Amino acid sequence: MEFIKAIILGIIEGITEWLPISSTGHLILADEFIKLKQSTEFMNMFNVVIQLGAILAVVVIYFKKLNPFDRDKTPRETQLTWQLWLKVIIACIPAIIIGLPLDDWLDLHFHKFVPIAFMLIIYGVAFIYVEKWAKTRPDSLVDLDRMPYKFAFYIGLIQVLSLMPGTSRSGVTILGAILLGASRFVATEFTFFLGIPVMFGASLLKIVKFALSGQGMSFYQFSILIVACATAFGVSIVVIRFLMDYIKKHDFTFFGKYRIVLGVILLVYAGISAVFGG
């Protein structure tokens, strides 16, 4: 049963990591009904490291675009690849400076139903209104290769908001990039690439904290983690391709409405749990 639960959680992670609907909100809700019988320390690590499976899907799908050592690339294409990585690194700086000191404090105070529900609703409303506004002006950035370094840094600053559980890293960076003038395609693609160092860094941080907690990881726990990551990887391959096709014809309004509905469900569930002592 633990492996079946890990597969279900991997499916949830693979779907919700890339759609701007908050993987944290979905995982915390799923945990209420399909709890893994593991320690709190392991679960804190598991819920972050499972994202490695999702991020590896980006590496696989965009390997040629992201690989500066590809011998088939022209010198100009190689230069653009290095520039893309530099933009990604620049965009990560604010999260490193601000996120590392606040990681434990945010987990302690905001990794709960009510704060997550409010973040889901707030950014759901934001998506709806930003999309309405975006339709009134032309996109100023429609080519990722032409993204200024300053633009990338601004997206990095906006990404700091995603430190709040329930916000959605992909959601807030896509929203921010659209506000800054990027097309949905550029905003989404850069969000995917920005997730690579962010998720690897967050996973490493959680693994180190788990190790320092004094708990060793058993082979059984390691197997559960690998199954969840592998599932998240496979599902992410499908979801990423779906999303890139979806945004060619649609905007993000639907996801904003979905976030609001999910946020309300979480608030209702939290209220019922409080009344009945659940």
Side-chain angles (χ1 to χ4, degrees), residues 240-269:
I240 289 170
R241 288 172 173 163
F242 159 78
L243 184 59
M244 297 312 291
D245 286 337
Y246 178 88
I247 61 176
K248 292 176 182 178
K249 300 178 181 178
H250 306 86
D251 60 24
F252 289 100
T253 301
F254 169 79
F255 297 112
K257 294 177 180 178
Y258 177 86
R259 289 178 64 101
I260 294 171
V261 171
L262 180 62
V264 171
I265 291 173
L266 284 178
L267 285 177
V268 171
Y269 183 79

Side-chain angles (χ1 to χ4, degrees), residues 129-140:
Y129 280 94
V130 167
E131 281 291 8
K132 287 183 178 179
W133 171 80
K135 292 173 182 176
T136 65
R137 59 102 173 109
D139 298 323
S140 60

Side-chain angles (χ1 to χ4, degrees), residues 71-258:
R71 294 182 179 180
D72 293 331
K73 287 185 174 181
T74 64
R76 176 56 178 164
E77 288 173 335
T78 300
Q79 181 187 33
L80 289 172
T81 303
W82 282 117
Q83 288 176 354
L84 173 60
W85 276 112
L86 181 57
K87 293 168 188 174
V88 167
I89 292 171
I90 289 172
C92 288
I93 292 174
I96 294 172
I97 295 174
I98 300 173
L100 285 176
L102 294 178
D103 182 64
D104 288 335
W105 184 80
L106 287 169
D107 276 352
L108 179 63
H109 294 283
F110 294 99
H111 203 277
K112 301 172 183 177
F113 273 109
V114 174
I116 288 174
F118 277 117
M119 289 299 101
L120 283 165
I121 294 170
I122 289 169
Y123 283 95
V125 173
F127 260 114
I128 293 171
Y129 280 94
V130 167
E131 281 291 8
K132 287 183 178 179
W133 171 80
K135 292 173 182 176
T136 65
R137 59 102 173 109
D139 298 323
S140 60
L141 179 65
V142 295
D143 184 353
L144 184 57
D145 291 335
R146 295 181 179 274
M147 176 183 286
Y149 291 104
K150 182 169 65 174
F151 194 103
F153 181 72
Y154 289 155
I155 293 177
L157 286 175
I158 294 170
Q159 182 183 229
V160 172
L161 296 173
S162 69
L163 294 171
M164 282 288 293
T167 300
S168 171
R169 189 200 63 81
S170 62
V172 76
T173 50
I174 289 173
L175 196 66
I178 291 175
L179 277 171
L180 292 171
S183 67
R184 294 182 192 89
F185 193 89
V186 169
T188 304
E189 201 169 57
F190 189 69
T191 292
F192 289 165
F193 302 154
L194 185 54
I196 297 174
V198 169
M199 290 184 190
F200 271 105
S203 296
L204 179 61
L205 178 64
K206 291 297 183 181
I207 290 172
V208 170
K209 287 183 176 180
F210 178 72
L212 292 177
S213 71
Q215 293 194 30
M217 187 186 302
S218 67
F219 179 76
Y220 180 62
Q221 289 177 319
F222 179 74
S223 299
I224 291 172
L225 184 60
I226 291 298
V227 167
C229 286
T231 304
F233 169 80
V235 174
S236 291
I237 292 284
V238 176
V239 172
I240 289 170
R241 288 172 173 163
F242 159 78
L243 184 59
M244 297 312 291
D245 286 337
Y246 178 88
I247 61 176
K248 292 176 182 178
K249 300 178 181 178
H250 306 86
D251 60 24
F252 289 100
T253 301
F254 169 79
F255 297 112
K257 294 177 180 178
Y258 177 86

